[in-house]
Amino acid sequence: MEKHYTDSKVKGVSTGTTILAAIFDGGVVIGSDSRASIGGDYVSSKTINKVIQVHDRIFCCIAGSLADAQAVTKAAKSHLSFHSVQMESPPLVVAAASVLKDLCYKNKEELQAGFMTAGWDRKNGPQVYVVALGGMLLNQQVTIGGSGSTYIYGYVDAKYKPNMTREECVQFATNALALAMGRDNVSGGVVHLVVITEKGVEHVVVPGDKLPQFHDE
């Protein structure tokens, strides 16, 4: 006689991260922590870069299953490269976000990853888009995501200003990520930031021992 075990439990995927993107006067900053975890208990990497370049001046941050996110960003890069050849011009930031949205929506039953896309183009300047689980697309001035974001909503609401200078926005992003990493046990490592403007792209890495501290740790 066949036996059915109804009391078995399947443990879901548990991951952690903190990601952020914010527009300043003339550009945009996108960044994240660098810790990758397996099952929420084991830290598999302390130095992974979650800020992925999908075109010359378009980057996205990933949250959720790393394997899912890498597969989606790889497909998006291929789509955008083909698109730029067809159009004979760089893709718009909204086009990159739309590609990610379509990929997420068409595979919403299988994917466990969300994205934020940030970049600069000649038509609309600096932009930030959020692609949530399931494929919803939102255009925002500033956005945060991942498990660490729950600790910094108040800080972001209080400190973000739309017309900050580059230096102010970089400091704002660094402070916000440092606060989240100090509270969230599955966010940590170093801070990876990418600053995107009309002039180009700049990568900034803030080591863990150089991050600002706001409380006794």
Side-chain angles (χ1 to χ4, degrees):
M1 183 178 177
E2 185 179 358
K3 295 182 179 180
H4 297 276
Y5 296 94
T6 58
D7 60 342
S8 63
K9 296 181 180 179
V10 178
K11 188 176 182 180
V13 177
S14 176
T15 58
T17 190
T18 305
I19 56 178
L20 176 148
I23 293 175
F24 62 91
D25 186 16
V28 61
V29 172
I30 184 168
S32 75
D33 72 316
S34 66
R35 180 176 291 174
S37 59
I38 298 176
D41 300 320
Y42 173 70
V43 177
S44 59
S45 175
K46 296 180 181 180
T47 57
I48 190 168
N49 188 359
K50 303 172 189 176
V51 186
I52 309 298
Q53 187 172 22
V54 292
H55 208 266
D56 292 347
R57 294 185 186 178
I58 305 174
F59 288 74
C60 68
C61 267
I62 57 180
S65 169
L66 184 59
D68 290 353
Q70 288 177 331
V72 171
T73 52
K74 185 176 181 180
K77 288 176 72 172
S78 177
H79 278 285
L80 293 172
S81 179
F82 183 65
H83 174 78
S84 64
V85 171
Q86 282 187 312
M87 301 300 293
E88 297 183 345
S89 64
L92 300 177
V93 180
V94 68
S98 297
V99 168
L100 287 168
K101 178 202 72 173
D102 290 342
L103 289 168
C104 289
Y105 181 75
K106 290 176 181 176
N107 299 281
K108 61 181 179 294
E109 300 299 330
E110 290 79 28
L111 291 177
Q112 296 187 26
F115 304 85
M116 60 177 61
T117 306
W120 184 95
D121 61 52
R122 294 191 179 278
K123 182 177 181 181
N124 298 309
Q127 299 148 74
V128 171
Y129 294 92
V130 179
V131 181
L133 279 171
M136 181 176 66
L137 180 64
L138 294 172
N139 178 214
Q140 297 185 314
Q141 286 284 308
V142 60
T143 186
I144 53 178
S147 59
S149 66
T150 57
Y151 299 93
I152 58 172
Y153 275 102
Y155 178 83
V156 171
D157 288 343
K159 296 296 184 181
Y160 176 73
K161 299 176 183 178
N163 295 314
M164 288 190 289
T165 65
R166 176 201 173 280
E167 291 73 21
E168 288 174 335
C169 195
V170 168
Q171 190 62 59
F172 160 77
T174 302
N175 290 348
L177 291 169
L179 281 166
M181 291 160 63
R183 294 295 187 187
D184 182 28
N185 67 332
V186 284
S187 296
V190 305
V191 165
H192 287 284
L193 297 174
V194 175
V195 184
I196 312 162
T197 64
E198 181 180 5
K199 295 180 179 179
V201 173
E202 180 185 358
H203 297 257
V204 179
V205 178
V206 185
D209 60 351
K210 301 296 183 182
L211 290 173
Q213 293 189 1
F214 300 89
H215 53 81
D216 294 333
E217 297 179 340

